[in-house]
Amino acid sequence: MQEIDFYRADSLDDLYRLLAETGGRVIAGGTDALVQMQRDAFPAAVVIDASRIADLRYIREDGDRIEIGALTTYADLLASSLVRRAAPSLIAAAETVGAPQTRARGTLGGNIANASPAGDTLPPLLALDASVTLSSARGVRILPLGEVLRGPRQTCLEPGEIIASIAFRRLPQPSGSAFIKLSNRRGMSIAVVSVAAALALDAAGRIAEGRVALGAVAPTAVRSPAAESVLAGEVPGAETFRRAARAALDDIAPIGDVRATAAYRREAAARLVVRALNGAWEHAGGRAGA
Amino acid sequence: MKPITVTLIVNEQPRTITTEPNRTLLYALRDDLGLYGAKDACGGEGECGACTVILDGEPVNSCLVLAGQADGCHVETIEGLAAGGQLHPLQRAFVETGAVQCGFCTPGAILAAKALLDRLPDPTDDQIREALSGNLCRCTGYTKMIAAVRRAAEDMSHVR
Amino acid sequence: MSADTFTVGKTEIRKDAWDKVTGAAAYVDDVALPGMAVGMVVRSPHHHARIMQIDARAARDVPGVLAVVTAADVPGSKTFGPLAQDRPALAVDEVRHLGEPVAIVVAESKTAARRGVKVVAVEYEPLPAVFDPTAALEPGAPQVHPGGNVVTRYDVAGGDVEAGFAEADVVLEHVFEVPRIAPGYMEPEASTAEWNADGTLTVWVSSQKPFEDRHQIASVLGLPQDAVRVRSAVIGGAFGGKEDSGLAILAALAAWAVKGTVRLVNNRHESFLAHPKRHPARLFYKLGAKRDGTLVALQATVHMDTGAYSSYGPAVGGLLTEMVPGAYRIPHVRVETLVVYTNSPFSGAMRGFGSPQAHFATESLIDMLAGELGMDPLELRRKNVLRPGDRFFTGAPLDQTASSLPVILEHVAAARARLAAIPAPAGRVAGVGFALAVQSMGLGYRVPDDSTNRLEWAPDGTIRVYVGAPDLGQGLATAAEQIAAEALGIPYGDVRALAVDTALSPNGGVTCASCMTYVVGNSVMMAARQLIETLLAYAADKLSVPRAALAYRRGTVVLPSGETIPVAEFASRAADEDVPLRAEATFSFPYPEATTPKHLPVGMPHGMFVFGGQVARVEVDRDLGTVEVTDLVAIHDVGQAINRAGVEGQIEGGVATGIGYALYESVRLKDNGQWVDGFTEYLLPTAEDVPARIESVIVEVPEASGPHGVKGVGEITLVPTAPAITNAVCDATGVRVTAIPITSEAIARAADPA
Ligand SMILES: Cc1cc2nc3c(=O)[nH]c(=O)nc-3n(C[C@H](O)[C@H](O)[C@H](O)COP(=O)(O)OP(=O)(O)OC[C@H]3O[C@@H](n4cnc5c(N)ncnc54)[C@H](O)[C@@H]3O)c2cc1C
């Protein structure tokens, strides 16, 4: 176990002050950070616990905008009927994170800040076009999630800066979203490939807006502009979804590792894009294609 | 490392310890408080659930919580489950169903199951399996653990 | 049988269960002895390297560090091992696998120990390494030990395999691969050693073989055997992996070095790297049959990777060799098995002991043959299974025990039909597969295999059973208690088994080889008969009546008048006089002289066998290749179940382990040169990965020599699981898996070009 010094912040002001004074790093649920500490791999010698800052743990609705505090846990998400209605893809992702013990502690902010290519909430949040509010003693900046994620375990956060919240807008009705995760074991496991999709349909039943994001197939979770441009304006259905899936392959660069080969990840990614789009379409009131 | 002072409300009893700042809740319970029911089976990866305790009502891997993070919190451990020498229905069901073999995963599994039944008194088999999915067991194949949780749920519904 | 017994055959509640559900059970790491120090091991970061220098000065200077122990300090034998003494307690001049112990840091606290471990400076000169057994056999391969990479070679034949293939109409040749897997017990290895003022050592272990540990510790410490006392703590699972004295030796060395008490506890990564695994193997099989399905010849060459040290590898290789033909009568068989050193973490004993490897190949190939012949795989098996009176290819005779095979086959047929009728849900295909298995009991001919156990009447008339072999969690103590209670006609509640303590317990043998209930049970029954004799002789003396005038019935001494006196009256008196009423008996695993073949290497053949069969239903996502085992029916002949829930528990746990073998588990080398060494990447089945209810069908064909007809059930329960699953996957998809664990990629239907 790594040697550290420990402080607990009870408020945001407290947190900024401790970050400035100690040059330490924040932890929330600790489900990634503690694993790193036990391997002597946490990138800081001072740990500041933010997990008790109530101001960062909330789920709010403001018109069509949903905002989620960074300290919101997976268990919180799963208990929220608001999120259940507005973002089934995010619920589906939260359901598959680890086991109940992980979901009770792990936070949405931590999943983003940890920036694992396989982070489960990242594809659904990308497909919801989520933005992230970063805050520090210096002030606040709001960035699209895609710009926050810089590489495996790398974000754009500056020293002293934290993730305060995540927000997204509901898609206009009829619309739907879905998330599918492929992993090597049924219980408790990391994604081999994951895909989220969101679809909004126009009055004629065509795709007004379609978004696709993939996890574990690139250095970060990624949106697929190629797939999205295939979808725009098309009639939803098997044929369209298959074309989108093929296009999505241009936006990913999977690697092979102990969990799967690169080739399998590519094939599986294509299959999952079709399935996720089907799921989103079904949720939007459509009929699943083959 | 500057020592920290932490108060944990363990099984309703406040216990104050001064310990190292990198001490996990698991080792605060074991090494500082002498409560050995929570076990370390995966080396602090959160993968085995043998260290499961209930922290402010939620099942957590105590190996992934720093003791300082739990300051002032309620911690329910296996030692607190048998009130007044009476086994909790889950403990009784684990004993009577034959769900206990080597026993190393047992405290964690019982607490994970308790967190489930506290929230969902009448779970389906699949809900039980999900609730236990973070608790590895190599001896039992889970069949009797699942049966024990089902049986405890029934026993508890009769009491209500 | 249970109708006329009062505890045997019933599900009695194991007596340690209360402690285990309340957190009171004390495993090694749960007992803090006064003044106890912490030991931590400095381990090799290389797969193979020469040690140029170890500089421990900085570590010794760390505040709180009490000692640093290296090979140079070892007072006795520098090496040890259960069969060959090829493994250094602490590396001597060379490391042969990643994670090998190089030094021990002993400190007052974990933090000080960690700081010390970080600054022990070891200078290495890396050497070439080899990780594949076939590659290690090549000329010019890196040499793991000076004597070459072949540890043991078996070449065993029955019949004339060339002539056999000449008779065959169909010959199939295939290569199978099985992975290195971890025993996966939940409690990592732990040991506490206490140096006593009188120059003796007490060592607490989590071990399958305390008596053997005593021997190994004494040898490395250069102490006489009786200066070492080994005590068994509660054991958090073992599965063969705790037939290893490595950590207990290190704890003893640490305690000796500081003349104090030291505890060593492995973390999971250390457990993966430095404790026994199941041997990975490559199996080259050739099977010949007649057009009508009659098996005529089988030839196999097996390359078994024992890793850097031999451990029980030679014995595992021997049993694997014997198990190659599985549960089938094949007139011409030849098996060549090479047990090979590599620079992998070493392999040793693990539940099944060579049998799972052999059966994966055999049971796969039988299904493949059925496909080739256009025959139903069940029919093919019916035609070829062993029958009473047959001999194994080793010449070992098979008695009526084999009469369970047809019974098992009928259960297999019924389960298969039932599971095949369950439709596949949308988007998935379903399939049903099955496999048979045979497993030997006991250690093999000419390997000492005795179990001594003792019964003692406590002053209150209850019975203490000094079981001389540890209960690993599987319930050996409970079985011994039930058998003792039955033999003495007293309630199960009045019998209590004690944990093994080499200072107090007789030597009950190593807990292994599917034979503990059998050997301990027999020994306990013998001891019970003697104990009654001892009691009656004592009572006769006290009552001044002839011995023949007394009888024993259910915890009482019966006088000629019919009046009864509770045993407690005599037991308490005897205890007061310091002549406690006790009896001890030794049971030796039987190998009938007349029929046991004598031409084979030591440890062969085995002479007693159990059979089983399992039926799996799987659902497969055809596009992604993911497999779910939805149902599993396990049919096992246990002779007689002593404790029904205990037997079911052995079956359910074995099946889950078999599911892991088939689908998930492999300790393999990653691209970054590290082994998979933790539960994040080494996936054990969770509660969501096994069927909610594993169905056990218990067949009871009694073993004539067994206590109440008992046979062994500890190992066979995981043997047929993996081939049953791969056979089911083949039924569902047409894809034949010849290497486990199954990967989704191997099953996924190649994408149509979308
Ligand atoms: C057994 C197990 C299973 C898991 N399974 C999954 C899974 O299936 N899918 C998945 O996606 N993840 C999984 N995880 C990973 C982990 O649970 C998630 O990434 C979780 O969301 C992390 O949140 P946390 O609050 O615990 O983060 P912490 O561990 O507290 O922090 C993680 C990192 O984020 C930083 N950080 C945290 N919060 C903030 C903030 N508000 N602002 C700035 N930086 C911050 C920390 O400095 C640290 O570097 C698993 C973990 C474990 C132990």
Side-chain angles (χ1 to χ4, degrees), chain B residues 117-131:
Chain B
L117 297 187
D118 286 349
R119 188 170 55 81
L120 210 68
D122 185 21
T124 63
D125 275 1
D126 281 348
Q127 286 167 329
I128 296 171
R129 291 164 84 193
E130 191 196 10

Side-chain angles (χ1 to χ4, degrees), chain A residues 3 185-186 246 261 264 275, chain C residues 115 621 624 684 745 754:
Chain A
E3 299 195 12
R185 175 174 71 182
R186 289 165 52 75
R246 217 175 314 146
T261 64
Y264 175 70
R275 289 189 192 184
Chain C
R115 288 175 181 166
D621 182 318
L624 298 174
L684 294 186
E745 182 162 19

Side-chain angles (χ1 to χ4, degrees), chain A residues 25-36 42-43 50 56 70-71 74 93 96-99 102-103 105-116 118-122 153 157 161-164 181 188-191, chain B residues 45-48 61 64 69, chain C residues 680:
Chain A
R25 192 179 169 100
V26 66
I27 64 166
T31 57
D32 279 313
L34 267 283
V35 175
Q36 291 166 13
F42 187 71
L56 292 177
L71 289 178
Y74 298 105
T96 71
V97 172
T102 331
R103 300 196 284 269
R105 290 290 295 173
T107 66
L108 197 53
N111 204 226
I112 295 169
N114 194 55
S116 158
D120 279 333
T121 66
L122 306 177
R153 306 207 172 258
L157 265 71
E161 201 170 38
I162 61 147
I163 296 175
K181 168 172 165 181
M188 191 173 46
S189 51
I190 299 172
Chain B
E45 297 197 326
E47 292 284 349
C48 73
N61 290 315
L64 296 186
Q69 290 186 287
Chain C
T680 306

Side-chain angles (χ1 to χ4, degrees), chain C residues 637-712:
Chain C
D637 174 19
V638 306
Q640 157 73 34
I642 297 292
N643 183 309
R644 204 151 269 279
V647 168
E648 287 168 3
Q650 285 299 298
I651 293 174
E652 292 154 6
V655 165
T657 302
I659 290 174
Y661 198 41
L663 293 181
Y664 302 133
E665 298 178 33
S666 178
V667 178
R668 58 173 175 261
L669 199 58
K670 299 187 284 181
D671 292 343
N672 65 4
Q674 301 293 308
W675 294 98
V676 164
D677 68 351
F679 288 152
T680 306
E681 291 173 336
Y682 187 86
L683 303 181
L684 294 186
T686 73
E688 294 187 294
D689 296 283
V690 299
R693 199 170 81 80
I694 293 161
E695 296 175 53
S696 298
V697 178
I698 297 175
V699 174
E700 292 178 320
V701 175
E703 164 58 42
S705 67
H708 303 278
V710 160
K711 292 176 187 168

